[in-house]
Coordinates of all heavy atoms in Angstrom, one line a residue:
M1 N 17.8 56.6 101.5 CA 17.7 57.2 100.1 C 16.4 57.8 99.9 O 16.4 58.8 99.2 CB 18.1 56.1 99.3 CG 18.5 56.5 97.9 SD 19.8 57.7 97.8 CE 20.7 57.0 96.2
E2 N 15.2 57.1 100.1 CA 14.0 57.6 99.7 C 13.7 58.8 100.5 O 13.1 59.8 99.8 CB 13.0 56.6 100.1 CG 11.5 56.9 99.7 CD 11.4 57.1 98.3 OE1 12.0 56.3 97.5 OE2 10.5 57.9 97.8
Q3 N 14.0 59.0 101.8 CA 13.8 60.2 102.5 C 14.5 61.4 101.9 O 14.1 62.5 101.8 CB 14.3 60.0 104.0 CG 14.0 61.3 104.8 CD 12.5 61.6 105.0 OE1 11.7 60.7 105.1 NE2 12.3 62.9 104.8
Q4 N 15.8 61.2 101.4 CA 16.6 62.2 100.7 C 15.9 62.6 99.6 O 15.8 63.9 99.3 CB 18.0 61.6 100.4 CG 18.8 62.5 99.6 CD 19.6 63.5 100.6 OE1 19.5 63.4 101.8 NE2 20.1 64.5 100.0
R5 N 15.4 61.8 98.7 CA 14.5 62.2 97.5 C 13.4 63.1 97.9 O 13.1 64.1 97.2 CB 14.2 61.0 96.7 CG 15.3 60.6 95.8 CD 14.7 59.4 94.8 NE 14.9 58.2 95.6 CZ 15.4 57.0 95.3 NH1 15.7 56.8 94.0 NH2 15.3 56.0 96.0
R6 N 12.7 62.6 98.9 CA 11.5 63.3 99.4 C 11.9 64.8 99.9 O 11.3 65.7 99.5 CB 10.8 62.6 100.4 CG 9.7 61.6 100.0 CD 8.8 61.2 101.1 NE 9.4 60.7 102.2 CZ 9.7 59.4 102.5 NH1 9.5 58.4 101.6 NH2 10.3 59.1 103.6
D7 N 13.0 64.8 100.6 CA 13.5 66.1 101.0 C 13.9 66.9 99.9 O 13.7 68.2 99.9 CB 14.7 65.9 101.9 CG 14.2 65.4 103.4 OD1 13.0 65.4 103.6 OD2 15.2 64.9 104.1
E8 N 14.6 66.5 98.9 CA 15.0 67.2 97.8 C 13.8 67.7 97.0 O 13.8 68.9 96.6 CB 15.9 66.5 96.9 CG 17.2 66.2 97.4 CD 18.2 65.3 96.7 OE1 17.7 64.6 95.8 OE2 19.4 65.0 97.2
A9 N 12.7 66.8 96.9 CA 11.6 67.3 96.0 C 10.8 68.4 96.9 O 10.3 69.4 96.3 CB 10.7 66.1 95.9
W10 N 10.8 68.3 98.2 CA 10.3 69.3 99.1 C 11.0 70.6 98.8 O 10.4 71.7 98.7 CB 10.5 68.9 100.6 CG 10.0 70.0 101.5 CD1 8.8 70.3 101.9 CD2 10.9 70.8 102.3 NE1 8.9 71.5 102.7 CE2 10.2 71.8 102.9 CE3 12.3 71.1 102.2 CZ2 10.7 72.8 103.7 CZ3 12.9 71.9 102.9 CH2 12.3 72.9 103.7
L11 N 12.4 70.7 99.0 CA 13.0 71.8 98.7 C 12.8 72.4 97.3 O 12.7 73.6 97.2 CB 14.7 71.7 98.9 CG 15.5 72.9 98.8 CD1 15.1 73.9 99.9 CD2 17.0 72.6 99.0
E12 N 12.8 71.6 96.4 CA 12.6 72.1 94.9 C 11.3 72.8 94.8 O 11.0 73.8 94.4 CB 12.6 70.9 93.9 CG 14.1 70.6 93.7 CD 14.2 69.3 92.9 OE1 13.3 69.0 92.1 OE2 15.2 68.6 92.9
A13 N 10.3 72.2 95.4 CA 8.8 72.7 95.4 C 8.8 74.0 96.2 O 8.1 75.0 95.8 CB 7.9 71.7 96.1
L14 N 9.5 74.1 97.3 CA 9.6 75.2 98.1 C 10.2 76.5 97.2 O 9.8 77.5 97.3 CB 10.3 75.0 99.5 CG 10.5 76.1 100.5 CD1 9.0 76.2 101.2 CD2 11.6 75.8 101.5
F15 N 11.3 76.1 96.7 CA 11.9 77.1 96.0 C 11.1 77.6 94.8 O 11.0 78.8 94.6 CB 13.3 76.5 95.3 CG 14.1 77.5 94.7 CD1 15.0 78.3 95.4 CD2 14.1 77.6 93.3 CE1 15.9 79.2 94.7 CE2 15.0 78.5 92.6 CZ 15.8 79.4 93.3
R16 N 10.5 76.7 94.1 CA 9.5 77.1 93.0 C 8.5 78.0 93.4 O 8.1 79.0 92.8 CB 9.1 76.0 92.2 CG 10.0 75.3 91.2 CD 9.3 74.3 90.3 NE 8.5 73.3 90.9 CZ 9.0 72.2 91.5 NH1 10.2 71.8 91.4 NH2 8.3 71.2 92.1
A17 N 7.9 77.6 94.6 CA 6.8 78.4 95.1 C 7.1 79.8 95.6 O 6.3 80.7 95.6 CB 6.1 77.5 96.2
H18 N 8.3 79.9 96.2 CA 8.6 81.1 96.9 C 9.9 81.9 96.6 O 10.1 82.9 97.1 CB 8.7 80.8 98.5 CG 7.4 80.2 98.9 ND1 6.2 80.8 99.0 CD2 7.1 78.9 99.5 CE1 5.4 80.1 99.4 NE2 5.8 79.0 99.8
H19 N 10.6 81.4 95.6 CA 11.8 82.1 95.2 C 11.5 83.6 94.7 O 12.4 84.5 95.3 CB 12.5 81.4 94.1 CG 13.6 82.1 93.4 ND1 13.5 82.8 92.2 CD2 14.9 82.2 93.8 CE1 14.7 83.4 92.0 NE2 15.6 83.0 92.9
R20 N 10.6 83.8 94.0 CA 10.4 85.1 93.5 C 10.0 86.1 94.7 O 10.5 87.3 94.8 CB 9.3 85.2 92.5 CG 9.7 84.9 91.2 CD 8.7 85.3 90.1 NE 9.2 84.8 88.8 CZ 8.6 84.4 87.9 NH1 7.2 84.4 87.8 NH2 9.1 83.9 86.6
A21 N 9.2 85.5 95.6 CA 8.7 86.4 96.6 C 9.9 86.8 97.7 O 10.1 87.9 98.0 CB 7.6 85.7 97.5
V22 N 10.7 85.7 97.9 CA 12.0 86.1 98.8 C 13.0 86.9 97.9 O 13.5 87.8 98.6 CB 12.6 84.7 99.2 CG1 13.8 85.0 100.0 CG2 11.6 83.9 99.9
L23 N 13.2 86.8 96.7 CA 14.0 87.6 96.0 C 13.5 89.1 96.0 O 14.2 90.0 96.2 CB 14.2 87.2 94.4 CG 15.3 88.0 93.7 CD1 16.6 88.1 94.3 CD2 15.2 87.4 92.3
A24 N 12.2 89.3 95.7 CA 11.7 90.6 95.7 C 11.8 91.3 97.1 O 12.2 92.4 97.2 CB 10.1 90.6 95.4
Y25 N 11.7 90.4 98.2 CA 11.9 90.9 99.5 C 13.3 91.4 99.8 O 13.6 92.5 100.3 CB 11.6 89.9 100.5 CG 11.7 90.2 101.9 CD1 10.6 90.6 102.7 CD2 12.9 90.1 102.6 CE1 10.8 91.0 104.1 CE2 13.1 90.4 103.8 CZ 12.0 90.8 104.7 OH 12.2 91.2 105.9
A26 N 14.2 90.6 99.4 CA 15.6 90.9 99.5 C 16.0 92.1 98.5 O 16.8 93.1 99.2 CB 16.5 89.8 99.2
V27 N 15.6 92.2 97.5 CA 15.8 93.4 96.7 C 15.4 94.7 97.1 O 16.0 95.8 97.1 CB 15.3 93.2 95.0 CG1 15.2 94.3 94.2 CG2 16.1 91.9 94.4
R28 N 14.1 94.7 97.7 CA 13.6 95.9 98.3 C 14.4 96.4 99.5 O 14.4 97.5 99.7 CB 12.1 95.7 98.8 CG 11.0 95.5 97.7 CD 9.7 95.7 98.2 NE 9.3 94.6 99.1 CZ 9.0 93.4 98.8 NH1 8.7 92.9 97.6 NH2 8.6 92.5 99.8
R29 N 14.9 95.4 100.1 CA 15.8 95.8 101.4 C 17.3 96.0 101.0 O 17.9 96.6 101.9 CB 15.5 94.7 102.5 CG 14.2 95.0 103.0 CD 13.5 93.8 103.6 NE 12.2 94.2 104.2 CZ 11.1 94.1 103.4 NH1 11.2 94.0 102.2 NH2 10.0 94.5 104.0
L30 N 17.6 95.5 100.0 CA 19.1 95.8 99.6 C 19.1 96.4 98.2 O 19.6 95.8 97.2 CB 19.8 94.6 99.5 CG 20.0 93.7 100.9 CD1 20.5 92.3 100.6 CD2 20.9 94.4 101.8
P31 N 18.5 97.6 98.1 CA 18.4 98.2 96.8 C 19.7 98.6 96.0 O 20.6 98.9 96.8 CB 17.6 99.6 97.1 CG 17.9 99.9 98.5 CD 18.1 98.6 99.2
G32 N 19.7 98.3 94.8 CA 20.9 98.5 94.0 C 22.0 97.6 94.2 O 23.0 97.6 93.6
D33 N 21.7 96.4 94.8 CA 22.7 95.3 95.0 C 22.1 94.0 94.7 O 21.9 93.2 95.5 CB 23.4 95.5 96.3 CG 24.7 94.7 96.3 OD1 25.0 93.9 95.5 OD2 25.6 95.1 97.1
L34 N 21.8 93.7 93.4 CA 21.2 92.4 93.1 C 22.0 91.1 93.5 O 21.6 90.1 93.9 CB 20.9 92.4 91.6 CG 20.1 91.1 91.2 CD1 18.8 91.1 91.8 CD2 19.9 91.2 89.7
A35 N 23.4 91.4 93.4 CA 24.2 90.3 93.8 C 24.1 90.0 95.4 O 24.0 88.7 95.7 CB 25.7 90.5 93.6
D36 N 24.0 90.9 96.1 CA 23.8 90.8 97.6 C 22.4 90.1 97.8 O 22.0 89.2 98.7 CB 23.9 92.0 98.4 CG 25.2 92.2 98.9 OD1 26.1 91.4 98.7 OD2 25.5 93.3 99.5
A37 N 21.3 90.6 97.1 CA 19.9 90.1 97.2 C 19.9 88.5 96.7 O 19.4 87.6 97.4 CB 19.0 90.8 96.4
D38 N 20.7 88.1 95.7 CA 20.8 86.8 95.3 C 21.3 85.9 96.3 O 21.1 84.8 96.6 CB 21.7 86.7 94.0 CG 20.8 87.0 92.8 OD1 19.5 86.9 92.9 OD2 21.4 87.4 91.8
D39 N 22.5 86.5 97.0 CA 23.2 85.7 98.0 C 22.4 85.6 99.2 O 22.3 84.4 99.9 CB 24.3 86.5 98.5 CG 25.4 86.5 97.5 OD1 25.5 85.8 96.6 OD2 26.5 87.4 97.7
V40 N 21.3 86.5 99.6 CA 20.4 86.4 100.7 C 19.5 85.3 100.3 O 19.3 84.4 101.1 CB 19.7 87.7 100.9 CG1 18.5 87.5 101.9 CG2 20.6 88.6 101.7
V41 N 19.0 85.3 99.1 CA 18.1 84.2 98.7 C 18.7 82.8 98.8 O 18.1 81.9 99.4 CB 17.5 84.5 97.4 CG1 16.7 83.3 96.7 CG2 16.6 85.7 97.3
A42 N 19.9 82.7 98.5 CA 20.7 81.4 98.5 C 20.8 81.1 100.0 O 20.5 79.8 100.4 CB 22.0 81.5 97.7
E43 N 21.1 82.0 100.8 CA 21.3 81.6 102.2 C 20.0 81.3 102.9 O 19.9 80.4 103.7 CB 21.9 82.9 103.0 CG 23.4 83.1 102.6 CD 23.8 84.6 103.0 OE1 23.1 85.3 103.6 OE2 25.1 84.8 102.7
V44 N 18.9 81.9 102.5 CA 17.6 81.5 103.0 C 17.1 80.0 102.7 O 16.7 79.4 103.5 CB 16.4 82.5 102.4 CG1 15.1 82.0 102.8 CG2 16.7 83.8 103.0
F45 N 17.3 79.7 101.4 CA 16.9 78.3 101.0 C 17.9 77.4 101.5 O 17.6 76.2 101.9 CB 16.8 78.2 99.5 CG 15.4 78.9 99.2 CD1 15.5 80.2 98.6 CD2 14.3 78.1 99.2 CE1 14.2 80.8 98.4 CE2 13.0 78.7 99.0 CZ 12.9 80.0 98.5
A46 N 19.2 77.6 101.8 CA 20.1 76.8 102.5 C 19.7 76.6 103.8 O 19.9 75.5 104.4 CB 21.6 77.4 102.4
A47 N 19.3 77.6 104.5 CA 18.8 77.5 105.9 C 17.7 76.7 105.9 O 17.4 75.8 106.9 CB 18.6 78.9 106.6
A48 N 16.7 76.9 104.9 CA 15.5 76.0 105.0 C 15.8 74.6 104.8 O 15.3 73.6 105.5 CB 14.6 76.5 103.8
W49 N 16.9 74.2 104.0 CA 17.3 72.8 103.8 C 17.8 72.2 105.2 O 17.6 71.2 105.6 CB 18.4 72.8 102.8 CG 19.0 71.4 102.6 CD1 20.1 70.9 103.1 CD2 18.3 70.2 102.0 NE1 20.4 69.7 102.7 CE2 19.2 69.2 102.2 CE3 17.1 70.0 101.5 CZ2 19.0 67.9 101.7 CZ3 16.9 68.7 101.1 CH2 17.6 67.7 101.2
R50 N 18.7 73.2 105.7 CA 19.4 72.6 107.1 C 18.3 72.5 108.2 O 18.5 71.6 109.0 CB 20.4 73.6 107.5 CG 21.6 73.6 106.9 CD 22.7 74.5 107.5 NE 22.4 75.8 107.8 CZ 22.4 76.9 107.0 NH1 22.8 76.7 105.7 NH2 22.0 78.1 107.4
H51 N 17.3 73.4 108.1 CA 16.3 73.3 109.3 C 14.9 72.8 108.8 O 14.0 73.3 109.2 CB 16.2 74.6 109.9 CG 17.4 75.1 110.3 ND1 18.2 74.7 111.5 CD2 18.2 76.2 109.8 CE1 19.2 75.3 111.7 NE2 19.4 76.2 110.8
R52 N 14.9 72.0 107.8 CA 13.6 71.6 107.1 C 12.7 70.9 108.1 O 11.5 71.0 107.8 CB 13.9 70.6 105.9 CG 14.8 69.3 106.2 CD 15.1 68.6 105.0 NE 16.0 67.6 105.1 CZ 17.4 67.7 105.2 NH1 17.9 68.9 105.2 NH2 18.1 66.6 105.4
E53 N 13.1 70.2 109.1 CA 12.1 69.9 110.0 C 11.5 70.8 110.8 O 10.4 70.7 111.4 CB 12.8 68.9 111.1 CG 13.7 69.5 112.1 CD 15.1 69.8 111.5 OE1 15.5 69.4 110.4 OE2 15.9 70.6 112.1
R54 N 11.9 72.2 110.9 CA 11.4 73.3 111.6 C 10.6 74.2 110.7 O 9.9 75.1 111.1 CB 12.3 74.0 112.4 CG 13.0 73.2 113.5 CD 13.8 74.1 114.4 NE 15.1 74.4 113.7 CZ 16.0 75.1 114.2 NH1 15.9 75.9 115.2 NH2 17.2 75.4 113.5
V55 N 10.7 74.0 109.3 CA 10.0 74.9 108.4 C 8.5 74.6 108.5 O 8.2 73.3 108.1 CB 10.5 74.9 107.1 CG1 9.8 75.7 106.0 CG2 12.0 75.2 107.0
P56 N 7.6 75.5 108.7 CA 6.2 75.1 108.8 C 5.6 74.9 107.3 O 6.2 75.2 106.4 CB 5.4 76.3 109.6 CG 6.5 77.5 109.3 CD 7.8 76.8 109.1
D57 N 4.4 74.2 107.3 CA 3.8 74.1 106.1 C 3.5 75.3 105.3 O 3.8 75.5 104.1 CB 2.4 73.2 106.3 CG 2.8 71.8 106.7 OD1 3.8 71.3 106.5 OD2 1.8 71.3 107.3
E58 N 3.2 76.3 106.2 CA 2.9 77.8 105.4 C 4.3 78.3 105.7 O 4.6 79.0 106.7 CB 1.9 78.4 106.4 CG 1.6 79.8 105.7 CD 1.1 79.9 104.3 OE1 0.3 79.0 103.9 OE2 1.6 80.8 103.5
A59 N 5.2 78.2 104.6 CA 6.6 78.5 104.9 C 7.0 79.9 104.5 O 8.0 80.4 105.0 CB 7.5 77.6 103.9
L60 N 6.2 80.7 103.7 CA 6.6 82.0 103.4 C 6.8 82.9 104.5 O 8.0 83.6 104.5 CB 5.5 82.6 102.4 CG 6.0 83.8 101.6 CD1 7.2 83.6 100.9 CD2 4.9 84.3 100.8
P61 N 6.1 83.0 105.6 CA 6.5 83.8 106.7 C 7.8 83.5 107.4 O 8.6 84.2 107.7 CB 5.4 83.6 107.7 CG 4.2 83.3 106.9 CD 4.8 82.3 105.8
W62 N 8.1 82.1 107.4 CA 9.4 81.6 108.0 C 10.5 82.2 106.9 O 11.6 82.6 107.5 CB 9.4 80.1 108.1 CG 10.5 79.5 108.8 CD1 10.6 79.2 110.1 CD2 11.8 79.1 108.1 NE1 12.0 78.7 110.3 CE2 12.7 78.6 109.2 CE3 12.4 79.3 106.8 CZ2 14.0 78.2 108.9 CZ3 13.6 78.8 106.6 CH2 14.4 78.2 107.6
L63 N 10.3 82.0 105.7 CA 11.3 82.4 104.8 C 11.6 83.9 104.9 O 12.8 84.3 104.7 CB 10.9 82.0 103.3 CG 10.7 80.5 103.1 CD1 10.1 80.3 101.7 CD2 12.2 79.8 103.1
Y64 N 10.5 84.7 105.0 CA 10.6 86.1 105.1 C 11.5 86.5 106.4 O 12.4 87.3 106.4 CB 9.3 86.8 105.2 CG 8.6 87.1 103.9 CD1 7.3 87.1 103.8 CD2 9.4 87.3 102.6 CE1 6.6 87.2 102.6 CE2 8.7 87.4 101.5 CZ 7.3 87.4 101.4 OH 6.7 87.6 100.2
R65 N 11.1 85.7 107.5 CA 11.9 86.1 108.7 C 13.3 85.7 108.6 O 14.2 86.5 109.1 CB 11.2 85.4 109.9 CG 11.8 85.7 111.2 CD 11.1 85.0 112.4 NE 11.3 83.6 112.3 CZ 10.3 82.6 112.2 NH1 9.2 83.1 112.1 NH2 10.6 81.4 112.0
T66 N 13.5 84.7 108.0 CA 14.9 84.2 107.7 C 15.7 85.2 106.8 O 16.9 85.6 107.0 CB 15.0 82.7 107.2 OG1 14.3 81.9 108.1 CG2 16.4 82.3 106.9
A67 N 15.0 85.5 105.8 CA 15.5 86.6 104.9 C 15.9 87.9 105.6 O 16.9 88.6 105.5 CB 14.7 86.9 103.6
A68 N 14.9 88.3 106.5 CA 15.3 89.6 107.4 C 16.5 89.4 108.1 O 17.4 90.4 108.2 CB 14.0 89.9 108.3
H69 N 16.8 88.2 108.8 CA 17.9 88.1 109.5 C 19.2 88.2 108.6 O 20.2 88.9 109.0 CB 18.0 86.7 110.2 CG 17.0 86.5 111.4 ND1 17.2 87.2 112.6 CD2 15.8 86.0 111.3 CE1 16.1 86.9 113.4 NE2 15.2 86.2 112.6
H70 N 19.2 87.6 107.5 CA 20.2 87.6 106.5 C 20.5 89.0 105.9 O 21.7 89.3 105.8 CB 20.0 86.7 105.4 CG 20.3 85.1 105.9 ND1 21.6 84.7 106.3 CD2 19.4 84.3 106.1 CE1 21.5 83.4 106.6 NE2 20.3 83.1 106.6
V71 N 19.4 89.8 105.8 CA 19.5 91.2 105.3 C 20.3 91.9 106.2 O 21.1 92.8 106.0 CB 18.1 91.8 104.8 CG1 18.3 93.2 104.7 CG2 17.7 91.2 103.5
Q72 N 19.8 91.8 107.5 CA 20.4 92.6 108.7 C 22.0 92.2 108.7 O 22.7 93.1 109.0 CB 19.7 92.4 109.9 CG 18.5 93.2 110.2 CD 18.7 94.6 110.0 OE1 18.4 95.3 109.0 NE2 19.4 95.3 110.9
H73 N 22.2 91.0 108.6 CA 23.6 90.5 108.7 C 24.4 91.2 107.6 O 25.5 91.7 107.8 CB 23.7 89.0 108.6 CG 25.1 88.6 108.6 ND1 25.9 88.6 109.7 CD2 26.0 88.0 107.6 CE1 27.1 88.0 109.4 NE2 27.0 87.7 108.1
R74 N 23.9 91.3 106.4 CA 24.6 91.9 105.2 C 24.8 93.4 105.6 O 25.9 93.9 105.3 CB 23.8 91.8 103.9 CG 23.8 90.5 103.5 CD 24.6 90.2 102.3 NE 24.6 88.9 102.0 CZ 25.7 88.4 101.3 NH1 26.6 89.1 100.8 NH2 25.6 87.2 101.1
R75 N 23.8 94.1 106.1 CA 23.9 95.5 106.4 C 25.0 95.6 107.4 O 25.7 96.6 107.3 CB 22.5 96.0 106.8 CG 21.6 96.2 105.7 CD 20.3 96.6 106.3 NE 19.3 96.8 105.2 CZ 18.0 97.0 105.4 NH1 17.4 97.0 106.7 NH2 17.2 97.2 104.5
R76 N 24.9 94.9 108.6 CA 25.9 95.1 109.5 C 27.3 94.8 108.9 O 28.4 95.6 109.3 CB 25.7 94.1 110.7 CG 24.7 94.6 111.6 CD 24.6 93.8 113.0 NE 24.4 92.3 112.5 CZ 23.2 91.6 112.6 NH1 22.1 92.2 112.7 NH2 23.3 90.4 112.3
S77 N 27.5 93.9 108.1 CA 28.8 93.5 107.6 C 29.2 94.8 106.7 O 30.4 95.1 106.7 CB 28.7 92.2 106.8 OG 28.5 91.2 107.6
T78 N 28.4 95.3 105.9 CA 28.6 96.4 104.9 C 29.0 97.5 105.8 O 30.0 98.2 105.6 CB 27.6 96.7 104.1 OG1 27.3 95.5 103.2 CG2 27.9 97.8 103.1
A79 N 28.4 97.8 106.9 CA 28.7 99.0 107.7 C 30.0 98.9 108.3 O 31.0 99.7 108.4 CB 27.6 99.1 108.7
R80 N 30.3 97.6 108.8 CA 31.7 97.3 109.4 C 32.7 97.5 108.4 O 33.7 98.2 108.7 CB 31.7 95.9 109.9 CG 31.2 95.8 111.3 CD 31.5 94.4 112.0 NE 31.1 93.4 111.2 CZ 30.0 92.7 111.2 NH1 29.1 93.0 112.2 NH2 29.8 91.5 110.5
R81 N 32.6 97.0 107.1 CA 33.6 97.2 106.2 C 33.9 98.7 105.8 O 34.9 99.1 105.6 CB 33.2 96.4 104.9 CG 33.6 94.9 105.1 CD 33.4 94.2 103.6 NE 32.2 94.3 103.0 CZ 31.1 93.6 103.2 NH1 31.2 92.6 104.1 NH2 29.9 93.8 102.6
S82 N 32.8 99.4 105.8 CA 32.8 100.8 105.5 C 33.5 101.6 106.5 O 34.4 102.4 106.2 CB 31.4 101.4 105.3 OG 31.5 102.8 105.0
R83 N 33.3 101.2 107.8 CA 34.0 102.0 108.9 C 35.4 101.7 108.9 O 36.3 102.4 109.1 CB 33.3 101.6 110.3 CG 31.9 102.2 110.5 CD 31.6 102.1 111.9 NE 31.5 100.6 112.4 CZ 30.5 99.9 112.2 NH1 29.4 100.2 111.7 NH2 30.5 98.5 112.7
L84 N 35.7 100.4 108.6 CA 37.1 100.0 108.6 C 37.8 100.7 107.4 O 38.9 101.1 107.6 CB 37.3 98.4 108.4 CG 38.7 97.9 108.2 CD1 39.5 98.3 109.4 CD2 38.6 96.4 107.9
A85 N 37.3 100.7 106.1 CA 37.8 101.5 105.0 C 38.1 103.0 105.3 O 39.1 103.7 105.1 CB 36.9 101.4 103.9
D86 N 37.1 103.5 106.1 CA 37.3 104.9 106.6 C 38.5 105.1 107.6 O 39.2 106.1 107.4 CB 35.9 105.5 107.2 CG 34.8 105.7 106.2 OD1 35.2 105.6 105.1 OD2 33.8 105.8 106.7
R87 N 38.5 104.2 108.5 CA 39.6 104.2 109.4 C 41.0 104.1 108.7 O 42.0 104.8 109.0 CB 39.5 103.2 110.6 CG 38.6 103.6 111.6 CD 38.6 102.8 112.9 NE 38.6 101.5 112.6 CZ 37.7 100.6 112.8 NH1 36.4 101.1 113.0 NH2 37.9 99.3 112.6
L88 N 41.0 103.2 107.9 CA 42.2 102.8 107.1 C 42.7 104.0 106.2 O 43.8 104.3 106.1 CB 42.2 101.6 106.3 CG 42.1 100.2 107.2 CD1 41.8 99.0 106.2 CD2 43.4 100.1 108.0
G89 N 41.6 104.6 105.5 CA 41.9 105.7 104.7 C 42.4 106.9 105.5 O 43.4 107.7 105.0
G90 N 42.1 107.0 106.8 CA 42.6 108.1 107.6 C 44.0 107.9 108.1 O 44.5 108.8 108.5
L91 N 44.5 106.7 108.0 CA 45.9 106.4 108.4 C 46.9 106.9 107.6 O 48.0 107.2 107.9 CB 45.9 104.9 108.6 CG 45.2 104.3 109.8 CD1 45.4 102.7 109.8 CD2 45.5 104.9 111.1
G92 N 46.6 107.0 106.3 CA 47.6 107.3 105.2 C 47.7 108.8 105.2 O 47.1 109.3 104.2
G93 N 48.5 109.5 106.0 CA 48.7 110.9 105.9 C 49.5 111.4 104.8 O 50.0 110.4 104.1
E94 N 49.6 112.6 104.6 CA 50.5 113.0 103.6 C 52.0 112.7 103.7 O 52.4 112.7 104.9 CB 50.5 114.6 103.5 CG 48.9 115.0 103.1 CD 49.0 116.6 102.8 OE1 49.9 117.0 102.2 OE2 48.0 117.1 102.9
G95 N 52.7 112.4 102.7 CA 54.0 112.1 102.9 C 54.3 110.6 103.2 O 55.4 110.3 103.4
S96 N 53.3 109.8 103.3 CA 53.5 108.5 103.7 C 53.8 107.8 102.4 O 53.3 108.1 101.3 CB 52.3 107.9 104.3 OG 51.1 107.9 103.5
P97 N 54.8 106.8 102.5 CA 55.1 106.0 101.3 C 53.9 105.3 100.7 O 53.1 104.7 101.6 CB 56.2 105.2 101.8 CG 56.1 105.0 103.3 CD 55.4 106.3 103.8
T98 N 54.0 105.0 99.4 CA 52.9 104.2 98.8 C 53.5 103.0 98.2 O 54.7 102.8 98.0 CB 52.3 104.9 97.7 OG1 53.2 105.5 96.8 CG2 51.3 105.9 98.4

């Protein structure tokens, strides 16, 4: 129980110290989509919690690297959805029932 409280206090301190920097990083890389940037930040700190034993004392570079991975994942997902929408849009030729 005591370890859990220390871990929670660690995560809260990490979040307070670096939330703005990680959010700014995500916003710069996902311009115009604050919701996606917020999701990236949530995923970064969730990863920090899951891997807390591997997060170094100087955590910001680790957080940035983790954010970069999540931003890339978002971009790939968005690109896949866009390609799928384009393909599906091309299937409905003229005269097809709606």
Side-chain angles (χ1 to χ4, degrees):
M1 187 67 137
E2 183 63 31
Q3 182 64 41
Q4 178 77 16
R5 277 187 279 226
R6 277 196 303 269
D7 289 348
E8 289 171 0
W10 169 84
L11 183 63
E12 289 174 22
L14 185 73
F15 186 84
R16 279 193 309 274
H18 300 299
H19 171 261
R20 277 195 186 145
V22 175
L23 179 60
Y25 179 92
V27 166
R28 283 191 307 273
R29 280 149 183 84
L30 298 167
D33 200 339
L34 187 56
D36 271 355
D38 281 336
D39 288 346
V40 165
V41 171
E43 291 166 359
V44 166
F45 285 97
W49 175 255
R50 284 191 309 274
H51 304 290
R52 57 191 169 274
E53 69 283 348
R54 292 190 285 175
V55 177
D57 290 338
E58 182 58 41
L60 191 56
W62 188 94
L63 296 170
Y64 281 150
R65 186 177 64 243
T66 304
H69 290 284
H70 285 287
V71 165
Q72 279 303 108
H73 177 72
R74 291 257 170 201
R75 287 178 177 164
R76 284 190 304 268
S77 294
T78 299
R80 278 193 303 270
R81 282 192 303 273
S82 179
R83 287 192 306 271
L84 178 60
D86 289 346
R87 283 196 311 263
L88 291 175
L91 291 178
E94 293 190 35
S96 60
T98 52

